[in-house]
Amino acid sequence: MNQEKGSKKYKLIVIGAGMAGLSTGITWAINNELNKDPVLLIEKQPKTGGFVTSYEREGFVFDTCQVIPNISEILDYLGIEIELKKFKGYYMRILVVNPETDDVKVLELPSGLDNFKKKLMDQYPDNGSQIEEFLDYSREMYLELFNLKVEPKFIDILKLLFTCPKIIKNSSKTFKNYFEQFGITEPDVIEIFNIFADFSALPSEQVTALVPISAMNSLLDGAYRTKKGFIDFTNKLQERYENLGGELLLKTEVTKILVEDNQVKGVQLKSGEKIYSDYVVTTVDTMLAMKQLVGLEKIRSIDKKYANKIESIKMSTSSINVSLGLDDKLDLAGLGMDCGYNVITTGGDTYDRLFDDYEKGKIGFSDKRFQVGVICPSLTTGGQPNITIRVSPMGLGDWAKLRENDRPKYQEEKQKWGDFFINIVEKYLIPDLRRHILISDISTPATYARYSSSPTGSIFDMAPYTNNFGRTRLKMRTPIKGLFQPKFVHGVFGSLLAGIQVNDMILNRKIMNGNARLKI
Ligand SMILES: Cc1cc2nc3c(=O)[nH]c(=O)nc-3n(C[C@H](O)[C@H](O)[C@H](O)COP(=O)(O)OP(=O)(O)OC[C@H]3O[C@@H](n4cnc5c(N)ncnc54)[C@H](O)[C@@H]3O)c2cc1C
């Protein structure tokens, strides 16, 4: 495979300009002389940001992304300043509905670990010591993450026995197994902690314990959203990347990752053009990258184990999002909507059973079993009043086929489910909601699949089952020399961090000394 004469060769090509791609590009630009080692970011959409974006409909601006934990160290490292609102008071409310009586119990989760602990211990004194033990132990386990190495050497593994004992002890446990050790029996408390498992897009009986523990601790350290919409964040990242001298191609789709003699050579575009580089970092959906852009058989011929691992991986779920533009007659703040996240749920094992149906390819939501997130971005951005209803688990099922082959039926299904979720919010959270709706915009799993090219419409990449996490996860360093895939579940924080980690890997631990986290 010879370099075409006269064409520019890059040191690094990054496929996809979402959070992970932008972070990879900026970190590269900070740590290299770009006139010698240039970097090129290639994005198929006309704009950067991937899943983190804002879009306008008839004067209403909607965000895809809703709430992020404290990412200040990452922002400092990347050299980005954005205006963020930190949720004070409570950052989450859980409305537990009894579907037989329609009674609603409201559980408020205050911000800050100490406030949270005190409130729970005061409110549920019979479980006080168990709650304290669970939160303290989990905090210590979360802090151990800062001692982990991404690619531990032999000596690192030995050290882990002393620096990360709790992580080692619990590494193969699901959140349910882990939680049960503490003997908490109070149903409300179980409800509260299980929500963090659901936030990880897997039920508590399947998700690896460390993911909900990290989500809980990082959100307790601060839950935020951008004051100018999430597009502001994306724009700042792109601006920083370009100011540092990084190059960007928009509306350009990569169709192939070029490999020769077990070494990455660059990429091929939909136009047929080839662009060459020493390193390629792919930040697109893992299955798309490994199965379509590289090809599983090629990987298998180099490393059978890695290929088998790819085949065993389950991706995360997709989602339905209902964004509603409202008139200004609703007192959204008075309804308590000025918090990061509201969850309306029928409680107990709701998410687990919805997930069972999702795994069977069915939609299990009904009047008696549901769980939805409701967020009010306009109380932060000050824009036209709006709310977003966010629903998971949701599989791709027939959504994409329907959209492709029978548009009226697709619209009908989309509206049916949109109405179903609006009814739940109207019944249990925002009375008379329907009378105030001026416009609605519903995205389905087909929307996410089309936008990101994820074959499963997954919104959180690989799902964090116990058999694909920590040391057992699909490695960022692929068996093809020079090809990396810094992808994993976790949302904005994880994607930004992964961009820094992959540079650390390429640059021989120059940035983070091989650590899994930036130091706090
Ligand atoms: C509706 C929704 C709500 C969410 N809410 C939250 C939240 O509240 N908090 C949170 O932390 N996380 C949230 N997430 C998850 C979070 O947005 C993602 O985890 C994160 O943005 C993933 O970033 P990424 O760069 O890894 O991938 P992506 O954002 O998927 O970026 C990959 C990029 O690659 C591009 N691409 C794909 N194929 C090609 C190709 N062949 N050639 C070139 N480019 C290609 C895509 O267009 C895309 O821009 C949400 C996601 C969704 C969809």
Side-chain angles (χ1 to χ4, degrees):
M1 205 177 292
N2 290 323
Q3 168 89 25
E4 279 162 40
K5 237 179 160 185
S7 65
K8 180 170 177 179
K9 185 178 173 190
Y10 291 86
K11 192 74 181 173
L12 171 66
I13 288 176
V14 184
I15 312 173
M19 292 295 105
L22 287 164
S23 165
T24 306
I26 294 171
T27 307
W28 181 269
I30 291 173
N31 288 284
N32 292 281
E33 286 177 38
L34 295 195
N35 51 353
K36 258 188 17 227
D37 294 323
V39 52
L40 174 68
L41 212 54
I42 304 179
E43 167 58 52
K44 73 166 185 144
Q45 295 290 348
K47 59 180 184 174
T48 57
F51 278 150
V52 178
T53 192
S54 311
Y55 57 97
E56 197 257 327
R57 296 280 183 274
E58 298 175 36
F60 289 88
V61 179
F62 299 117
D63 280 332
T64 45
C65 186
Q66 301 301 341
V67 64
I68 51 174
N70 186 350
I71 54 169
S72 55
E73 292 98 34
I74 295 182
L75 294 181
D76 286 350
Y77 181 77
L78 297 177
I80 308 287
E81 273 184 41
I82 41 166
E83 285 183 66
L84 290 168
K85 167 165 157 175
K86 182 174 182 177
F87 291 101
K88 304 220 171 75
Y90 55 90
Y91 72 94
M92 199 194 316
R93 283 190 308 181
I94 307 173
L95 287 83
V96 187
V97 172
N98 179 335
E100 302 306 326
T101 60
D102 282 346
D103 287 344
V104 181
K105 182 189 274 189
V106 181
L107 306 170
E108 292 176 351
L109 279 59
S111 309
L113 182 60
D114 291 339
N115 292 338
F116 181 61
K117 192 198 286 183
K118 183 169 180 334
K119 175 164 178 185
L120 288 187
M121 289 174 67
D122 288 351
Q123 208 167 340
Y124 306 102
D126 288 350
N127 269 184
S129 60
Q130 291 89 333
I131 291 168
E132 185 170 37
E133 199 196 338
F134 169 73
L135 284 172
D136 289 350
Y137 188 98
S138 300
R139 181 72 182 179
E140 284 165 24
M141 184 158 89
Y142 166 70
L143 292 176
E144 284 181 7
L145 274 174
F146 293 82
N147 303 322
L148 276 185
K149 299 280 183 198
V150 180
E151 291 183 305
K153 299 175 181 159
F154 181 65
I155 184 79
D156 297 323
I157 295 174
L158 287 183
K159 278 193 199 155
L160 288 183
L161 295 171
F162 303 97
T163 56
C164 302
K166 293 185 171 62
I167 290 183
I168 291 178
K169 183 164 177 233
N170 296 293
S171 63
S172 59
K173 291 196 177 108
T174 64
F175 182 72
K176 190 168 194 287
N177 296 149
Y178 170 79
F179 184 75
E180 280 172 356
Q181 301 174 114
F182 298 90
I184 294 174
T185 50
E186 181 59 58
D188 288 357
V189 183
I190 297 173
E191 198 70 62
I192 288 170
F193 289 125
N194 270 345
I195 283 293
F196 294 102
D198 309 347
F199 262 38
S200 316
L202 276 182
S204 62
E205 58 196 20
Q206 302 199 48
V207 68
T208 192
L210 200 54
V211 171
I213 296 303
S214 304
M216 179 179 77
N217 275 283
S218 53
L219 284 171
L220 283 170
D221 285 344
Y224 299 80
R225 74 175 297 141
T226 49
K227 285 194 181 165
K228 294 182 182 164
F230 273 92
I231 192 79
D232 178 49
F233 184 27
T234 290
N235 288 343
K236 293 255 162 64
L237 288 163
Q238 179 180 331
E239 205 179 288
R240 172 81 172 134
Y241 171 71
E242 292 188 311
N243 285 343
L244 285 164
E247 294 175 48
L248 173 66
L249 282 177
L250 293 172
K251 294 196 215 164
T252 308
E253 188 173 342
V254 171
T255 48
K256 205 167 173 188
I257 294 174
L258 304 171
V259 180
E260 194 179 270
D261 296 334
N262 187 16
Q263 170 74 47
V264 83
K265 290 287 172 188
V267 299
Q268 180 165 337
L269 308 180
K270 198 173 180 180
S271 63
E273 185 190 347
K274 292 177 180 162
I275 310 182
Y276 296 94
S277 62
D278 289 341
Y279 297 106
V280 171
V281 169
T282 160
T283 68
V284 305
D285 179 280
T286 304
M287 293 305 137
L288 167 72
M290 296 294 117
K291 292 186 175 169
Q292 295 176 33
L293 302 187
V294 182
L296 205 52
E297 287 322 307
K298 185 166 280 161
I299 297 174
R300 199 183 303 285
S301 68
I302 300 165
D303 185 338
K304 209 167 148 198
K305 241 169 111 186
Y306 199 86
N308 289 344
K309 179 80 199 164
I310 293 168
E311 283 194 304
S312 75
I313 278 164
K314 289 193 201 164
M315 298 301 287
S316 63
T317 83
S318 195
S319 175
I320 284 186
N321 265 35
V322 185
S323 294
L324 301 174
L326 307 172
D327 65 24
D328 55 9
K329 310 258 173 343
L330 272 171
D331 179 10
L332 291 165
L335 286 164
M337 295 295 291
D338 197 9
C339 70
Y341 216 84
N342 300 274
V343 179
I344 313 175
T345 175
T346 42
D349 62 358
T350 291
Y351 196 84
D352 304 50
R353 300 294 74 85
L354 289 172
F355 203 84
D356 289 343
D357 284 330
Y358 153 80
E359 284 190 310
K360 290 179 202 142
K362 293 197 275 189
I363 301 179
F365 289 81
S366 72
D367 290 337
K368 303 282 178 220
R369 187 193 289 146
F370 51 80
Q371 180 155 315
V372 300
V374 190
I375 310 102
C376 182
S378 54
L379 286 173
T380 298
T381 60
Q384 299 263 60
N386 62 31
I387 62 163
T388 293
I389 307 169
R390 181 160 148 189
V391 186
S392 96
M394 208 43 85
L396 184 59
D398 289 333
W399 285 105
K401 276 191 216 131
L402 217 49
R403 187 182 181 283
E404 184 77 15
N405 304 324
D406 188 351
R407 202 51 91 83
K409 178 83 180 140
Y410 172 73
Q411 292 297 350
E412 193 187 306
E413 275 298 295
K414 177 162 123 158
Q415 198 56 50
K416 181 184 95 182
W417 283 107
D419 285 340
F420 174 81
F421 295 118
I422 292 170
N423 288 347
I424 288 173
V425 178
E426 181 171 66
K427 191 164 176 187
Y428 300 110
L429 182 60
I430 307 178
D432 282 338
L433 172 61
R434 274 188 184 284
R435 278 208 294 129
H436 300 277
I437 299 174
L438 298 182
I439 69 151
S440 77
D441 183 78
I442 305 167
S443 23
T444 70
T447 319
Y448 297 116
R450 191 167 43 88
Y451 191 78
S452 69
S453 298
S454 163
T456 42
S458 298
I459 66 166
F460 289 110
D461 211 73
M462 292 181 273
Y465 290 92
T466 49
N467 65 358
N468 189 36
F469 193 72
R471 298 205 62 209
T472 61
R473 70 171 270 190
L474 184 74
K475 303 272 181 284
M476 231 186 242
R477 186 189 294 275
T478 76
I480 296 164
K481 288 193 198 106
L483 177 64
F484 296 82
Q485 59 92 28
K487 291 290 282 183
F488 208 52
V489 71
H490 267 166
V492 171
F493 174 88
S495 310
L496 291 171
L497 181 69
I500 305 175
Q501 280 175 343
V502 74
N503 275 276
D504 193 49
M505 219 173 245
I506 298 173
L507 301 173
N508 297 319
R509 296 190 166 191
K510 177 180 166 189
I511 303 165
M512 297 167 69
N513 191 25
N515 291 326
R517 302 284 293 251
L518 282 170
K519 284 286 177 199
I520 38 173

